[in-house]
Amino acid sequence: MATSTAAERREQARIEYDAFLKSCPTHQLLGRISDKWAGLIISALTGGPMRYSDLGRRIAGVSPKMLTQTLRSLERDGLVSRTVTPSVPVRVDYELTALGTSLSGLMTAVKEWAETNIEEVNKAREAYDAEAPSGRSAVPGLNEPVPAAQQVSWR
């Protein structure tokens, strides 16, 4: 049996990555980047660096806890960098790294796809729900009305 170098073993492992396997690191990474808050943060940062408070205002509905957790996770994964500027008060800016920038086009495209196709998706949901027994949605929470304050018009 021939021995292989560490670089050869790493390359072989890379070839063997299979995101369909739960234990695969790529499966875990897909879970991270498919999170709605991660996608929205990456899309928001596509325009350039933003302060924490600006991100919180830009992304409606994200709690401070989720914003902080998601930013830390994205920073840990090398997608976002955090810069602290000593001032009163302290200024903290977040921006995409080169790796994050390489992902941002995909995330922005998914966001734009959702904005473009939400009406068609809603029609499909309504048709599906109309055929469901007793008119109830197969997905819990889908029949609940959306409060007027959370309704958004994208057009």
Side-chain angles (χ1 to χ4, degrees):
M1 176 173 172
T3 59
S4 58
T5 66
E8 291 170 336
R9 288 191 301 272
R10 281 192 303 273
E11 178 61 18
Q12 185 60 35
R14 188 191 64 76
I15 292 169
E16 294 173 1
Y17 285 150
D18 184 351
F20 290 111
L21 299 175
K22 187 175 182 178
S23 61
C24 182
T26 59
H27 181 91
Q28 296 161 3
L29 179 59
L30 283 171
R32 164 84 61 234
I33 63 176
S34 65
D35 172 77
K36 72 177 174 182
W37 301 125
L40 291 172
I41 289 169
I42 291 168
S43 291
L45 291 174
T46 299
M50 293 180 78
R51 295 178 76 171
Y52 178 90
S53 58
D54 294 332
L55 280 167
R57 280 190 295 275
R58 176 81 172 113
I59 304 170
V62 67
S63 69
K65 177 183 176 184
M66 284 309 303
L67 181 57
T68 298
Q69 285 179 351
T70 306
L71 284 166
R72 284 181 183 162
S73 296
L74 293 172
E75 185 179 7
R76 181 175 182 254
D77 291 340
L79 301 172
V80 169
S81 66
R82 178 179 184 264
T83 305
V84 178
T85 305
S87 61
V88 178
V90 174
R91 179 183 174 107
V92 180
D93 291 291
Y94 293 90
E95 68 181 309
L96 294 175
T97 62
L99 187 61
T101 300
S102 71
L103 176 61
S104 69
L106 297 170
M107 300 308 289
T108 300
V110 169
K111 180 187 81 64
E112 290 171 357
W113 179 92
E115 292 168 350
T116 301
N117 293 289
I118 187 61
E119 291 174 13
E120 189 172 339
V121 170
N122 281 336
K123 287 178 188 174
R125 287 176 177 173
E126 289 170 6
Y128 181 91
D129 292 347
E131 295 175 11
S134 72
R136 295 293 302 167
S137 170
V139 181
L142 267 183
N143 282 338
E144 297 171 11
V146 176
Q150 293 181 2
Q151 292 179 2
V152 178
S153 173
W154 297 101
R155 304 251 180 238

